[in-house]
Amino acid sequence: MKKGIVSIVTVLFMCTWASAESSVWKVQKDKSVMYLGATFHMLRETDYPLPSEFGKAYKASEIVVFETDIGKLQEPSTRQKLLAQFMYADGSTIDKHLSVRTYGELSAYCKSNGIPLEAFKQLKPSLLIVTLTAMELMKLGVTQRGVDLFFYGLANEDRKIVKGLETVEEQINYLVSMADGNEDDFVTYSINDMKNVKQQFESLANAWRKGDAEKIDEYIVAELRTKLPHVYKKLFTDRNSKWLPMIEAYMNTPETEFILVGAGHLVGSEGIIALLRKKGYTIDKL
């Protein structure tokens, strides 16, 4: 089964099943405690309420930490800035930045799915692919109300402290530049990936519900590491390395934090959980 871009959009931009494990981890060292939660950035309404372990970690924490400032990310001015950076500044269109073969594949995909490519031609490959993937997910009833937005709203209602691991500008830059220099490979890979969107979403959601870290790693990043290593490095390893000192610093505060990041950042040999374990932290699933 193909994995990759569909999974990234799902967990980068679930229900109350009983199981022995979850996608929430408790981190301890000496007397310090924090929680790590693997998130889906997009979910279906039927995926609510969330697994009870998320609620337990949230209630036990005074500070909730997200990848970025979600409030600022939702502001109209930020969205306008994001759209401007995702469009070609020189007024050119995507067909000028792809090979004839790759553009043909993109055109064929859009035509077969009833998508007016002409309306999106000014978008760079990164946002175009994210947009097309989101359109496919919407057919499954998936919306932007994912784990992050849910807990951001709850934390504001409860007046808990909310923080971010990177600025909105940094996150936008990661997304804008993830296909730079490899546009053809990125678009071709993504088109093939989107052909199995329903199966991928269901498989990933099931692994997430069960807290199956190996499957989450397989579905989100394993193939990406091989097929699009530059995207994997930019979106995962570089950011994980940058976040790690900040996450460790939270372990030195008197408060308990609940850190919520995309599931792909936590799992695998280069994920945050593995990096923390190497530093001597005790980590257990709830």
Side-chain angles (χ1 to χ4, degrees), residues 67 91 98 119 145 173 179 219 271:
E67 291 183 13
L98 298 176
R145 184 176 176 262
N173 182 63
Y219 294 149

Side-chain angles (χ1 to χ4, degrees), residues 8-285:
I8 291 173
V9 173
T10 303
V11 302
L12 182 80
F13 261 146
M14 267 159 127
C15 60
T16 55
W17 291 13
S19 66
E21 297 183 334
S22 70
S23 289
V24 180
W25 288 262
K26 184 176 184 179
V27 184
Q28 300 178 82
K29 194 171 188 179
D30 299 325
K31 295 183 179 180
S32 297
V33 175
M34 72 162 52
Y35 296 91
L36 299 173
T39 72
F40 267 39
H41 296 325
M42 302 176 72
L43 286 175
R44 300 160 297 190
E45 286 302 318
T46 54
D47 292 319
Y48 289 92
L50 298 173
S52 60
E53 290 83 2
F54 280 86
K56 291 176 183 177
Y58 173 79
K59 290 179 182 178
S61 304
E62 292 84 36
I63 299 174
V64 186
V65 184
F66 301 96
E67 291 183 13
T68 191
D69 183 340
I70 293 180
K72 185 175 181 181
L73 193 62
Q74 300 301 310
E75 293 176 358
S77 59
T78 300
R79 292 181 175 273
Q80 291 175 1
K81 182 187 298 183
L82 188 152
L83 183 59
Q85 291 188 41
F86 271 114
M87 299 178 70
Y88 291 108
D90 60 2
S92 63
T93 51
I94 194 169
D95 55 306
K96 308 299 182 185
H97 299 267
L98 298 176
S99 68
V100 173
R101 177 179 178 180
T102 301
Y103 184 71
E105 293 173 347
L106 177 62
S107 298
Y109 172 83
C110 289
K111 184 177 181 179
S112 65
N113 286 276
I115 298 169
L117 179 56
E118 195 67 29
F120 301 102
K121 287 181 68 174
Q122 287 186 307
L123 298 180
K124 294 178 180 178
S126 48
L127 182 58
L128 177 58
I129 291 301
V130 168
T131 300
L132 295 180
T133 304
M135 291 171 70
E136 288 295 329
L137 290 170
M138 286 174 63
K139 296 176 184 177
L140 305 178
V142 179
T143 74
Q144 293 185 3
R145 184 176 176 262
V147 178
D148 314 76
L149 278 178
F150 175 82
F151 278 110
Y152 178 76
L154 195 59
N156 278 301
E157 288 179 10
D158 295 337
R159 297 188 178 182
K160 292 196 177 189
I161 299 171
V162 174
K163 293 184 177 292
L165 293 171
E166 62 192 16
T167 67
V168 168
E169 289 74 20
E170 287 174 325
Q171 186 162 97
I172 289 175
N173 182 63
Y174 284 122
L175 296 174
V176 169
S177 62
M178 67 179 173
D180 287 1
N182 297 275
E183 290 84 355
D184 282 335
D185 290 342
F186 181 79
V187 171
T188 296
Y189 176 87
S190 301
I191 290 172
N192 291 329
D193 197 48
M194 287 187 288
K195 293 177 181 178
N196 299 305
V197 60
K198 183 176 181 179
Q199 182 184 1
Q200 290 185 60
F201 185 90
E202 293 290 349
S203 297
L204 180 56
N206 188 49
W208 180 80
R209 290 180 186 118
K210 294 179 179 179
D212 190 334
E214 290 186 5
K215 285 294 184 182
I216 293 172
D217 180 54
E218 177 186 345
Y219 294 149
I220 298 176
V221 295
E223 188 172 277
L224 202 67
R225 280 193 291 260
T226 302
K227 298 293 183 64
L228 293 175
H230 57 286
V231 176
Y232 169 74
K233 181 177 184 298
K234 183 179 292 289
L235 293 184
F236 291 101
T237 56
D238 287 354
R239 293 165 79 196
N240 290 351
S241 296
K242 185 173 181 179
W243 293 348
L244 189 62
M246 290 183 275
I247 291 173
E248 285 195 272
Y250 281 124
M251 287 294 288
N252 295 321
T253 67
E255 298 87 5
T256 298
E257 291 82 14
F258 187 21
I259 298 179
L260 290 155
V261 297
H265 291 285
L266 295 181
V267 300
S269 60
E270 297 177 293
I272 290 170
I273 290 172
L275 296 176
L276 287 172
R277 280 182 172 145
K278 289 179 181 177
K279 287 179 169 287
Y281 294 89
T282 300
I283 305 179
D284 299 294
K285 286 182 182 177

